[in-house]
């Protein structure tokens, strides 16, 4: 039995599934990942600072104009649409208990119809005033300048920047879902960014599935490993 057939059987027999997704899931939607040759970290900036430096908390606080210039042009993709993989994982909810634990900030799981999504790194869709905590949808912001609230406070994206901790509540929900799952499908992530990458260690179920173009540190302990484009994998599963 090949890996696609094994994966089909695992999904068919599973009741509680956690899908742990990373940037590689959204590249087919036109959103670049971070570390590939065409990724965000390889993008040119309008300053002498690297992308990693720009998307840090200290840089945001010190140089908000430079931060937002990069953020709005390189990290916000309002026209992006879910791809077949997003839709497939949403469809699984019809007869499975599915939790999405994502490192992505693009809101595509929700747009595809997934209703139980834990966003470890926040979302570009949500933004809040640092002074009065009023929330703003991304569509409400003028993306040509630093956004400010009517109270005068600067608006910050509700995303986890470098130097910022993950939300304890989201961490707790993610770990609980992973521990209760009988199958964990890791998709589109190289599992190199911590603390998110360490979440796999909490899995106690029967089937660990890794779907990623490149190898990961967990390949040797996984039950199914497929190094292909995720949309191609989904097409084969649905054949």
């Amino acid at each position: 039995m090949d890996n696609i057939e094994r994966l089909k059987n695992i999904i068919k027999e599973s009741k509680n599934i956690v899908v742990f997704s990373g940037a590689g899931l959204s590249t087919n939607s036109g959103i670049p990942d971070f570390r590939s040759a065409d990724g965000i970290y390889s993008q040119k900036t309008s300053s002498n600072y690297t992308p990693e430096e720009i998307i840090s908390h200290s840089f945001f606080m010190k140089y908000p104009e430079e931060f937002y210039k990069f953020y709005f042009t390189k990290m916000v993709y309002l026209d992006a649409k879910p791809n077949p993989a997003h839709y497939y994982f949403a469809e699984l909810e019809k007869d499975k208990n599915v939790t999405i634990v994502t490192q992505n900030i693009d809101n595509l799981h929700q747009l595809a119809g997934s209703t139980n999504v834990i966003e470890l790194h926040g979302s570009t869709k949500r933004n809040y005033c640092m002074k009065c905590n009023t929330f703003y949808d991304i569509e409400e912001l003028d993306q040509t300048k630093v956004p400010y609230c009517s109270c005068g406070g600067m608006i910050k994206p509700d995303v986890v920047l470098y130097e910022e901790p993950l939300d304890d509540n989201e961490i707790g929900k993610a770990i609980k879902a992973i521990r209760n799952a009988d199958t964990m499908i890791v998709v589109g992530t190289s599992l190199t960014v911590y603390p998110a990458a360490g979440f796999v260690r909490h899995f106690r179920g029967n089937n660990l599935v890794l779907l990623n173009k490149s190898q990961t540190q967990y390949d040797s302990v996984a039950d199914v490993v497929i190094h292909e484009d995720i949309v191609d994998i989904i097409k084969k599963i649905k054949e």
Side-chain angles (χ1 to χ4, degrees):
M1 184 185 299
D2 67 15
N3 277 333
I4 293 294
E5 288 302 316
R6 289 176 64 199
L7 180 53
K8 281 184 182 180
N9 289 337
I10 285 172
I11 292 172
K12 182 179 179 181
E13 295 170 6
S14 298
K15 294 180 180 178
N16 295 310
I17 298 175
V18 163
V19 177
F20 188 85
S21 67
L25 179 62
S26 295
T27 53
N28 281 295
S29 295
I31 299 177
D33 61 13
F34 287 87
R35 288 172 173 77
S36 70
D38 300 318
I40 288 173
Y41 292 160
S42 300
Q43 301 284 333
K44 293 273 196 256
T45 68
S46 60
S47 65
N48 293 323
Y49 298 96
T50 66
E52 291 103 319
E53 290 173 311
I54 292 173
I55 55 177
S56 67
H57 177 82
S58 55
F59 190 95
F60 169 76
M61 297 301 294
K62 194 172 183 180
Y63 307 110
E65 292 87 0
E66 280 296 327
F67 170 87
Y68 270 113
K69 193 181 297 182
F70 181 85
Y71 177 78
F72 281 141
T73 57
K74 305 295 186 182
M75 298 185 69
V76 176
Y77 292 84
L78 293 181
D79 296 328
K81 299 289 190 291
N83 62 57
H86 291 103
Y87 285 115
Y88 174 77
F89 293 127
E91 288 167 10
L92 285 181
E93 286 190 19
K94 292 177 181 177
D95 54 6
K96 309 286 181 184
N97 180 24
V98 180
T99 301
I100 307 290
V101 179
T102 187
Q103 301 174 75
N104 297 340
I105 57 175
D106 52 35
N107 197 52
L108 293 185
H109 281 296
Q110 291 93 327
L111 287 175
S114 290
T115 60
N116 189 14
V117 182
I118 300 168
E119 294 172 317
L120 294 177
H121 295 153
S123 172
T124 58
K125 182 174 175 59
R126 300 186 303 273
N127 308 268
Y128 66 93
C129 172
M130 298 178 72
K131 186 175 179 182
C132 72
N133 212 39
T134 297
F135 264 75
Y136 292 85
D137 190 281
I138 185 65
E139 305 278 0
E140 299 177 75
L141 304 184
D142 182 346
Q143 295 187 28
T144 64
K145 59 185 180 181
V146 177
Y148 284 92
C149 177
S150 55
C151 79
M154 186 166 66
I155 294 172
K156 180 185 182 296
D158 190 19
V159 301
V160 179
L161 304 176
Y162 281 125
E163 305 165 350
E164 295 178 346
L166 300 186
D167 182 274
D168 285 340
N169 186 47
E170 298 302 293
I171 289 174
K173 290 191 295 185
I175 290 174
K176 182 179 179 181
I178 290 168
R179 285 180 174 168
N180 290 335
D182 46 40
T183 293
M184 183 173 185
I185 302 174
V186 180
V187 53
T189 173
S190 57
L191 296 173
T192 56
V193 178
Y194 285 84
F199 280 48
V200 178
R201 297 173 185 164
H202 294 282
F203 180 60
R204 302 287 183 268
N206 300 319
N207 308 295
L208 177 60
V209 177
L210 299 182
L211 310 178
N212 193 53
K213 283 185 176 180
S214 59
Q215 293 182 332
T216 78
Q217 60 180 312
Y218 290 97
D219 282 16
S220 61
V221 297
D223 299 281
V224 173
V225 178
I226 304 177
H227 294 307
E228 293 181 38
D229 184 278
I230 182 57
V231 169
D232 292 336
I233 295 172
I234 297 304
K235 286 178 181 175
K236 292 176 182 178
I237 290 175
K238 298 181 78 169
E239 284 176 355

